[in-house]
Amino acid sequence: MARNLFWLLIFAGCAAVIEPGDGRAGSYLRGGVNVERFVEGFGQRRPSRLLGLFTSEPGIEIAGLGVVAQGRAEIGDFLAYGQAVQSRLKLLELQTEADSVFCRLEERNIWLELLGCSPLQYQAVFLLEDGKINRVRIRLEPASRAELIGKGLQFFNWLKHQEPQLLVQLMPDGRFQFTPENGSRLLELIRSWQRQN
């Protein structure tokens, strides 16, 4: 009887740590799972299936570019861009702390392969609200940035001189617009550049 009481107290103590009265631990755990679902699904699943992982007013920021998607419509475009270029993300590390999930990510996609780039490496922070993704902050690792600039510079210069109107479509305000149309257009332009060089 004393042994059963001991185990009952241990389990009750653990339950208090895992499920506090305000239910926040459950949302933290759900948030980590939602980040994993986003990573597994980005570029592979229909955007409508991934939108449910986000709050009603989410945002995605990329260091050096600023906010690239704000609100569910733009997040939907960002997700559809990932599908258009057949992006595949890999979760390298994950750490959950309060309402934030910190992780390292690796990305492969068709345009990176066409340019001969290694998979891109990122540091990312997912800020959660009630277990859902509210804001994503992404920073490209310096080594990935250097390789991307080195391998993409010739393509960019060709695009600037040969197809300036298409460059404006891709980057109307000087920043790349993450839409499915731009994803498809980018692949076509890289292939066109490769045929001419």
Side-chain angles (χ1 to χ4, degrees):
M1 179 70 175
R3 176 177 266 177
N4 289 343
L5 183 59
F6 172 76
W7 286 113
L8 181 62
L9 289 173
I10 293 292
F11 285 129
C14 289
V17 171
I18 295 170
E19 288 273 350
D22 63 5
R24 287 175 24 164
S27 71
Y28 299 157
L29 296 174
R30 189 171 66 247
V33 169
N34 283 342
V35 169
E36 290 175 352
R37 287 180 179 156
F38 168 80
V39 169
E40 290 168 6
F42 184 70
Q44 307 302 303
R45 293 197 184 121
R46 286 191 320 268
S48 59
R49 293 189 64 191
L50 296 177
L51 270 176
L53 303 174
F54 290 85
T55 61
S56 59
E57 278 301 316
I60 296 177
E61 300 174 31
I62 299 177
L65 296 179
V67 176
V68 297
Q70 183 67 46
R72 291 177 72 84
E74 289 184 10
I75 296 289
D77 280 345
F78 186 86
L79 297 170
Y81 158 83
Q83 195 170 37
V85 299
Q86 296 179 27
S87 224
R88 294 174 307 285
L89 293 178
K90 181 178 178 183
L91 191 59
L92 302 177
E93 297 170 11
L94 183 141
Q95 178 184 352
T96 302
E97 192 176 297
D99 285 331
S100 303
V101 174
F102 301 87
C103 60
R104 287 183 55 240
L105 298 172
E106 178 181 277
E107 181 185 14
R108 298 172 185 269
N109 63 46
I110 294 177
W111 68 260
L112 287 171
E113 292 170 10
L114 289 171
L115 290 177
C117 289
S118 304
L120 297 180
Q121 307 281 321
Y122 304 99
Q123 293 286 338
V125 180
F126 291 78
L127 303 176
L128 310 174
E129 189 177 290
D130 295 326
K132 292 198 169 190
I133 300 167
N134 187 51
R135 185 151 301 270
V136 184
R137 295 184 177 140
I138 302 167
R139 180 176 300 279
L140 188 60
E141 294 278 10
S144 288
R145 176 182 287 112
E147 182 183 16
L148 185 58
I149 290 170
K151 295 203 173 175
L153 193 57
Q154 285 183 321
F155 165 68
F156 182 79
N157 286 334
W158 171 84
L159 188 57
K160 190 165 66 172
H161 293 100
Q162 299 297 316
E163 301 286 354
Q165 73 286 357
L166 292 178
L167 181 60
V168 171
Q169 288 178 15
L170 291 173
M171 304 172 66
D173 61 356
R175 294 184 313 164
F176 185 81
Q177 299 295 303
F178 291 90
T179 64
E181 297 80 17
N182 271 356
S184 298
R185 190 175 291 130
L186 181 62
L187 295 179
E188 291 169 14
L189 288 167
I190 293 173
R191 289 181 175 121
S192 176
W193 168 67
Q194 288 178 327
R195 283 192 296 269
Q196 294 181 34
N197 293 288

